[in-house]
């Protein structure tokens, strides 16, 4: 134990196990050693330890890293309360009393805060990379489906024709915001808390600014009390994961729908589906369902940390130890889910002709007809109402738009002329779109080109 | 794999690891084997398998249980997607083709639902027992503190004098409700879903009612579709844990306050406190802080499952696999926290005289004085206002109630007489309480006696 | 203001508005008056107020109730901090000083707790009634659809044939659990806190037991400190609403799916759909979407109260005022949603033949074929695998089960005989189900009869 | 109704009330009119409506704004489903058929998205301003308390001496991050969705870029489908409120503690405290408690929207209507809470000498003594242990540090000399701090100066 000089009794065994964080903070060992080496070098710079001591410490720490990687040293929960004390204990075994100098001017409070910031910066960078991979995949699939017609839905009702490419690009936009959010988390984590001590800095002449560049931070925290009790960057990280997974859950929901017998739009690869232990004919979109289900888990992690932080008086309270598991779990869930989603999309087949015939026998081009009237000078509200009558007429006559003659149209409103019938051509419907951000194939191609030059 | 006869490609390795639940559902092995034995015996009863096959299956399953307990068999995530397929695979190794008959008329859907209900019933019973232990401890400590005076707080302001026993009994009441809630969860889980098949029962003549008593259920679920997609009992379980941990968090918060230099009311044992890596004088109530912090974690688990269940169409969806980890984690957290709380209270010391002198120099008996006036016929609102004036007078005169003479009182309101001064005696203040549920020592003793006869 | 005798400055105006609860606790006026009348009568019974005073108070309170109902008296947030002080103020206007006696031995703490318990008991009863109405509707619709064939889904993949009646009965089961949960909340709320004072009872001889029957409670709370800080019954209420709304969200999701162009299974009435401001052909299932969306809102309300209760030291803290809005909002949302759901189902049309032809051209009866083999003595795992081969064969031959001859079957496994072909008859598939809880029409009819005799 | 040409029956009255958003989206009227005017001008620019029509529309809209402000027009929930249709209806009353041209090429989907983005940008700006005010107040109070000694706490145990100024500056840092987060939300909301139509843009030649500058956006959304279903900026807004309120809840918790009889560190003004209806002596920190309690409410709002967004298929679904109330409620709660906190701090009195004597009789300077040893070359771990022994010695001898002689120190470790005793001077303890970010008064003054030049 790093403390205890004054205690008569040892920590109860159950309490030790209850309070130990080793099982989950072990993941921080690399950041911990990185931070300790930088700290040791700073201590040497300001003369608090000698060059020789520094060398012993940094060599010892490097060796511990290797031992851990190689598996020859693996601390256990029964012995240590956290990875920080485990590393220091091992360092003492390797270097003797010198190890006792490493913690000079440092507290576990600023040490842990530093480790977590280093870790989050790596995590945000890693997740950004995964999002970029998924964006690439979506853009790739989009570029093969610029003319794949499908109904665009609102209220899960067919609304207007779009292309599958256009649909996928909506997700590329979402992922771009997810990347921006991760950038914000990175920026927020990019200040060094080391040198804040337990809560109030130190009477030792520590040169905090020397550590900043060693560890790749962009600056230094300004108030020790805040620095060691701040977990904003973690809650913002969990929020970023929430939104990212929420986006994936929407895509996953759509993949489940598209794979159904009712939609038959997408065929998932065997590699990303499972069968049933009872029903031999089943081919289940389990991966999509799991991604959708796991949004619950990351939401839960956010709730966990937000609840824990509520109304905590300054500065460090042991409650804050509960910050780690939700963060690590949300990272793992999100990181893996992006990868699975990417592979699932890469291997799925699109039933490109699925909707072509069916959309002809639909009223999905009603808006186009209303716009036609608008261009003839009919106020939109009136044209909306006229088209409503056309739909009603068709329903009663058991017809679809393409079955209508110009005479039938004229009977409803005499302002209709032959060119109105062009609105009923599903094949040219996308080309007729005029606005930036629409599924017009030319615009979609341009956007794909833009994304490709940005991402590839 | 239990399925796959029709698949051309195997599940992708990453997808396998993403979707495997073995790491966390391994905990269900005992319920799984218990359920399988009961299922096999039912199959024999209705003639679907022979006595000999049944014996082979049940012996095989018993051996697997022993192997698992002894550590000689421990399935890994790389090989199996869940504990159910792992057990069946091992059974096949042990008994050959006979193993293939066990899953007759059963789906993993009803199998998992059965396992979880068996597990929850055990968990609820276990937690009830732990709550009873904590109740006993609180009653024990209360019985030693019937006359330990302390301020009762509202708004964390001293309001009226109470006893520490009375304060602790408030928590005994909370725990009693927690026990009732666990009973409700038990009752809700006590119906057997086995025999519901994948979602629609079976064309095989399964005798579901035969399994009920074998597994100790009180009845049978009535609709197969509902039976395999119902997770109400799990969400209710998580709610029960939320309220239980919320209660513990309130007590933990108080222990943190009472241990502070400002309160100095309670001294925690060394066994349940920790020191600081930087500040040698510290004695931190880490266990109380962790219990308080962990309420976040169980709240998070509830959010997780509630989110996952939102808007899922019937019946089973793979999302439901995400039900397990939050349930197991909430159980562990709650179970351990109760135990730690119990030990912490068992070993802490109460500073019994902490408040006696201080409460004399306070206005904490103001309500008693108002009540005195009420008994003299003064309307409560008026008496409240008169006592307000007495407090104001004291503050200006730099006095406390016990410093007041009857003349000073009479100057404020002439209805005061000598007996009013009795209201200022802190030592008899508790005895003066008249209502059921008050800190009157006689009533508190009676309640303690009642709890003892109920709990011990 | 009910307090303030000792304060030099009045509460700041912004602070007044920030802390006033009148806008939302006005809803408690009936419970408040009911509780006050019972309290006054008890005060008279124990001689703390006279019969005449009691009469004045109860008449005054009854008049206030009438004034409020009639709209002639409506207190505003600018004047009063809550409904309790507004009522007492008005009572003073009506009865003079006598009003000042009503609050004898009572605190707003036990007063509010009593009001809320009375309210929750009514709310639980009201919601139970609404759930019963929805159950009746579902049973009614089920009774008209015992033979309406539809695919039962797992993973949103067609799994086995079921009937629409069977599907609806799954929801009747869910609602039955919701009713049980409301009963538990009622039971938990059924203890009277009045007489607990601010936190520690009273030195006045209040007879709490006299109030119990007047207000229809089943008993009395046992510890004053707990009684005034206990909000368990509210959090349990919010949990009950969560599960109820979660069930509705699942049904709502299905209605959205069934109404889609892809499913075409259900046609919602115009009265419960809306159109589009842009697309004249749209008919959107907005009510179902709103019910589904509103599950978020009630989940949020649970989070709100759970968070607020975390780690609050005993006893009353003003934070607890935040208990009301989430409770009232969840009640309103749930109550209205059940009603809308009931009406939507009552007015929707079922496309009864939607799936009949389509299910013939499917592999949805694969399990039945596997069961056929099991009855011939083939181990289930083997039969599952054989049926997998049959499905594969069909897919390659571009056939469905009904296209198969017995010779084709025999080529795959020679144990097949003519009777196996009976498994491919979709029309008799439900009758072949043998297990309790299955969609066998006879069993479904029996359950409907059971529900009818219970509900109607 | 804006739709309905084709519907036979009108929306059911209950359904109308269930689905109407007018009561809460009325707040958007100014953004709605602002957006409509910009839209009309764009329509004119591209020739879809005439200058005259544009004038009629914009004049009509301006008049509606005035009517609404003046109270002469106030649409009700019984008549309209939302503010957008109410405004258009009124416009028709004022301008006749011309009103029907306003909605040309526009859908409620892109209209609402535009309104919400305009609103959020104002909200974020407003909240930033409030945070700046609170920062100023904290800096002001800090500047008066640079030498106000208080214990710095970890685990709510006294750890090291700090100043009240230093403590307050920790909150200034938190608020600075809150401002940065609001900036991110502003940036994210700063793209115009108008012109996205219902989901797929328009066949009309709308010039979206013309609207951008009119409404003060920085750019244009790129994908129509995403633009109308994106609620990221709202969830990020709710996250920003969560963190801001979480920070306030920590400060509120401390104010509650500081106001307690145990701490007696802070005296709140009568204007921000309340009394008790039963206990005349009470002075309760209700405002601080309410702020603390209200963190639950904003957390709940986040849960609400996050849940609602889970797994929604593209694009617009009516569920999304549920986005507004949580956003408006979180804004109001946060905005008001900051203001109340600011006023509460402005009017509270600090008991500046509260801790001076008490900290002399404490071991709070233990770390300084350990650092003294470190500067003598003793490894930190050893020095930590030596100081532990000094504390133990004191406890046994019933002494504090300031009672120790150099001889007593030397007996524990002979490396101690006279200068070690300087570590026990509480008055100079802050000056001895050497690190950036510590409570050293010179550094604190510098930071205050820095904040002042930034904020004032």
């Amino acid at each position: 134990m790093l403390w205890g000089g004054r205690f008569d009794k040892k920590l109860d065994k159950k309490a030790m196990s209850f309070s130990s964080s080793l099982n989950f903070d072990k993941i921080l060992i690399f950041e911990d050693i990185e931070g300790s080496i930088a700290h040791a070098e700073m201590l040497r710079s300001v003369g608090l330890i000698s060059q020789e001591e520094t060398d012993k410490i940094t060599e010892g720490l490097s060796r511990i890293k290797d031992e851990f990687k190689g598996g020859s040293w693996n601390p256990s929960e029964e012995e240590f309360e956290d990875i920080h004390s485990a590393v220091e204990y091992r360092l003492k075994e390797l270097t003797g009393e010198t190890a006792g100098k490493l913690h000079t001017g440092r507290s576990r409070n600023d040490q842990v805060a530093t480790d977590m910031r280093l870790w989050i910066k790596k995590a945000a960078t890693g997740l950004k990379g995964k999002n970029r991979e998924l964006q690439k995949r979506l853009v790739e699939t989009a570029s093969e489906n610029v003319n794949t017609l499908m109904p665009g839905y609102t209220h899960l009702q067919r609304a207007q024709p779009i292309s599958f490419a256009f649909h996928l690009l909506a997700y590329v936009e979402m992922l771009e915001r997810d990347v921006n959010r991760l950038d914000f988390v990175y920026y927020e984590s990019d200040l060094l808390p080391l040198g804040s001590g337990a809560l109030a800095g130190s009477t030792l002449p520590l040169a905090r600014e020397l550590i900043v560049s060693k560890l790749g931070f962009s600056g230094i925290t300004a108030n020790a009390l805040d620095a060691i009790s701040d977990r904003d960057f973690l809650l913002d990280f969990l929020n970023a994961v929430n939104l990212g997974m929420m986006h994936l859950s929407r895509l996953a929901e759509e993949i489940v729908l598209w794979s159904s017998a009712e939609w038959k739009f997408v065929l998932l690869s065997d590699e990303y589906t499972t069968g049933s232990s009872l029903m031999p004919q089943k081919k289940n979109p389990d991966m999509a369902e799991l991604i959708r289900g796991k949004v619950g888990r990351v939401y839960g992690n956010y709730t966990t940390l937000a609840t824990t932080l509520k109304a905590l008086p300054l500065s460090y309270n042991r409650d804050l130890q509960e910050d780690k598991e939700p963060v690590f779990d949300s990272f793992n869930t999100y990181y893996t889910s992006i990868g699975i989603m990417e592979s699932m999309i890469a291997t799925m087949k699109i039933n490109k002709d699925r909707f072509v015939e069916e959309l002809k026998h639909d009223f999905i081009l009603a808006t186009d007809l209303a716009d036609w009237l608008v261009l003839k000078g009919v106020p939109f509200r009136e044209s909306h109402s006229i088209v409503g009558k056309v739909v009603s007429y068709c329903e009663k006559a058991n017809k679809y738009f393409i079955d209508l003659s110009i005479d039938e149209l004229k009977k409803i409103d005499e302002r209709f002329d032959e060119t109105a019938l062009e609105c009923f051509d599903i094949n040219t419907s996308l080309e007729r779109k005029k606005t930036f951000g629409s599924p017009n194939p030319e615009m979609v191609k341009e956007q794909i080109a833009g994304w490709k030059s940005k991402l590839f």
Side-chain angles (χ1 to χ4, degrees), chain A residues 107 109-110 196-201 223-231 308-321:
Chain A
S107 155
N109 295 351
D110 56 346
S196 299
L199 74 158
N223 179 287
L225 211 56
D226 174 54
I228 60 106
S229 53
D230 168 28
R231 296 298 184 269
T308 296
L309 293 174
K310 178 218 161 185
L312 279 190
L314 298 187
S315 58
Y316 183 82
N317 300 283
R318 187 67 180 264
D319 318 52
L320 293 178
Q321 176 174 307

Side-chain angles (χ1 to χ4, degrees), chain A residues 279-290:
Chain A
M279 297 163 289
Q281 87 282 10
K282 294 290 297 295
K283 193 169 182 183
N284 299 321
D286 291 60
M287 301 307 132
E289 294 168 89
L290 280 169

